[in-house]
Amino acid sequence: MTENPKVPANAGSMQDTRFRQGQSGNPAGKAKGTRNRATQAMMLLLEGETDALTRKAIELALAGDTTALKLCLDRIAPAPKSAAQCIDIEIPSGTLTDIARAFVMAAANGEIPPDIAAALVSAVASVAKVEEMETIKGRLEAIERALKGQKQ
């Protein structure tokens, strides 16, 4: 009887230690909100110093330190985030190109904000990609059926 060189001789007695899909190696896991040791050490060192550090950052910013100035301004007035808003726009029936063009024209006419128009055009582009993949899938399946019919 020849042995398979790829399988160790004691394979039957070895414990399978590979991960199984959908099964955690540590089901209890780390508790939510637990900080790592470096963060805990930093927080401990900064405890009681936040007022002094904030004052120093402000002084440096006022003295012309651009990095400190940026830090302070980012805290005072952070970059605005796009807020979801409802829009009322007539979407034409027709091709996806027509729909995307309607969003661009609505932004150009001031009916909707440009960032909302860009997001909507991006969504239309995603739909176009999905439709394209569906078309390709259908064509490929038709080709495969035709090839199977020729082989028989």
Side-chain angles (χ1 to χ4, degrees), residues 8-31:
N10 60 351
S13 64
M14 290 177 57
Q15 182 181 6
D16 187 8
T17 59
R18 293 177 287 182
F19 286 106
R20 301 226 177 8
Q21 186 173 356
Q23 185 177 13
S24 172
N26 183 7
K30 191 177 193 179

Side-chain angles (χ1 to χ4, degrees), residues 2 20 23 35 40 43-44 50 56 62-63 68-69 73 91 93 95 97 109-110 114 121 127 130 136 147:
T2 349
R20 301 226 177 8
Q23 185 177 13
R35 297 174 189 239
Q40 289 175 345
M43 298 294 281
L44 190 60
T50 53
K56 184 64 174 179
L62 292 172
L69 180 61
L73 288 176
I91 301 173
S93 59
T95 66
T97 305
N109 294 334
V121 170
V127 170
V130 170
I136 291 171
L147 287 174

Side-chain angles (χ1 to χ4, degrees), residues 28-105:
K30 191 177 193 179
K32 285 191 178 200
T34 303
R35 297 174 189 239
N36 69 27
R37 288 185 191 145
T39 303
Q40 289 175 345
M42 182 196 66
M43 298 294 281
L44 190 60
L45 288 172
L46 291 176
E47 194 173 295
E49 301 294 336
T50 53
D51 290 340
L53 289 169
T54 304
R55 171 62 33 213
K56 184 64 174 179
I58 293 169
E59 288 171 8
L60 289 170
L62 292 172
D65 185 331
T66 56
T67 305
L69 180 61
K70 181 179 179 346
L71 178 76
C72 291
L73 288 176
D74 285 346
R75 298 300 182 264
I76 294 168
K81 294 181 181 174
S82 179
Q85 52 185 214
C86 294
I87 59 167
D88 187 21
I89 182 173
E90 190 167 329
I91 301 173
S93 59
T95 66
L96 292 175
T97 305
D98 294 336
I99 295 170
R101 186 174 289 118
F103 293 140
V104 172
M105 291 307 297

